[in-house]
Amino acid sequence: MTQLFETPAPVLAKTSDGHDFPVRHIFCIGRNYADHAKEMGAEVDREAPFYFTKWAETVIPSGSVMAYPSMTANFHYEAELVVAIGKGGRNIAAADALGHVYGYATGLDMTRRDLQLEARGKGRPWDAGKNVEQSSPLGLIHPLSETGEMTTGAISLTLNGEVRQQADLADLIHPIPALIAYLSRAFKLEAGDLIYTGTPAGVGAVVPGDTIVVSIDGLSDTVITVGQPADD
Ligand code: MN
């Protein structure tokens, strides 16, 4: 028996100290800042978080030109803190969660909002709105040994230099240890997994030519330029 075709190499994110971080699975948390849930006309569940997933190959590094995707006229930015898992586990206790964190990065959960809202309205999955090519821009991953545990700190997004999102990590409804505990009940987490932890209020649309910058205290920025639709 022969292998029919080659599988692609893993997506490699970069760390602030020069390592490659192979990306495995991407989990994105929904409605984790109260003001954003409100602007989306959605309820906040303080008892339990919820998540959706994206393919690893949706990751693009900071500095990229992101092709404007197909099938949307309302492509939104969402600035997020991203947690990089360095050690796997199942049923991880929140008290032990920090031991599974490799580090942290800035990132964007880019969203075809029109398709997401259409799906939401029809009770359908969010994949068409969320799991979009190049929709998970990621900054350098800073190791925990450099940052310490991140529980507070300013998070902001500028669009063409104008502040559009501004909050503090302390505003997260479900903090990172709770997210790791929750996700590790749903899945066996593994090294290489990324958790996009949710976005603050102020989401909005981009158009080709726009520049998006995500900043979080203590981390490298994610800088993305929105380009023309892909023509390949
Ligand atoms: Mn998001």
Side-chain angles (χ1 to χ4, degrees):
M1 301 289 272
T2 58
Q3 182 171 318
L4 290 173
F5 45 83
E6 294 299 315
T7 50
V11 173
L12 298 177
K14 299 288 183 190
T15 71
S16 61
D17 53 354
H19 297 291
D20 289 334
F21 182 95
V23 178
R24 182 177 173 266
H25 290 159
I26 302 175
F27 300 92
C28 299
I29 304 299
R31 299 173 197 160
N32 207 14
Y33 290 82
D35 289 350
H36 172 63
K38 195 174 173 186
E39 76 178 345
M40 295 299 293
E43 296 292 317
V44 170
D45 186 343
R46 293 188 178 272
E47 298 303 311
F50 76 93
Y51 73 93
F52 52 90
T53 59
K54 291 187 174 191
W55 296 334
E57 58 262 42
T58 62
V59 169
I60 57 172
S62 175
S64 299
V65 176
M66 175 178 53
Y68 192 91
S70 60
M71 292 177 66
T72 186
N74 197 19
F75 190 44
H76 275 208
Y77 55 78
E78 295 190 356
E80 310 209 359
L81 171 67
V82 182
V83 179
I85 298 296
K87 179 187 163 198
R90 200 187 291 283
N91 298 317
I92 298 166
D96 299 330
L98 196 60
H100 296 263
V101 172
Y102 176 80
Y104 307 92
T106 57
L108 282 161
D109 169 23
M110 298 298 297
T111 301
R112 291 192 283 213
R113 190 72 71 200
D114 37 9
L115 297 191
Q116 183 207 8
L117 293 180
E118 181 186 359
R120 197 177 86 173
K122 292 179 175 173
R124 290 177 180 168
W126 287 8
D127 297 57
K130 288 292 194 177
N131 192 10
V132 177
E133 287 173 39
Q134 300 190 319
S135 68
S136 307
L138 186 68
L140 295 176
I141 299 170
H142 291 251
L144 181 67
S145 56
E146 177 192 323
T147 61
E149 183 179 16
M150 293 188 68
T151 55
T152 62
I155 175 171
S156 65
L157 177 143
T158 64
L159 182 67
N160 303 324
E162 188 177 307
V163 177
R164 295 294 186 92
Q165 294 187 281
Q166 202 161 25
D168 195 284
L169 300 178
D171 300 334
L172 284 171
I173 294 167
H174 302 286
I176 290 162
L179 299 178
I180 291 173
Y182 168 72
L183 290 171
S184 70
R185 290 199 300 274
F187 263 91
K188 185 182 181 190
L189 293 180
E190 297 284 4
D193 289 343
L194 298 177
I195 305 169
Y196 283 62
T197 59
T199 198
V203 299
V206 298
V207 295
D210 282 348
T211 298
I212 312 165
V213 180
V214 181
S215 302
I216 296 177
D217 283 349
L219 300 178
S220 301
D221 291 349
T222 291
V223 183
I224 290 292
T225 303
V226 182
Q228 296 297 321
D231 59 1
D232 61 350

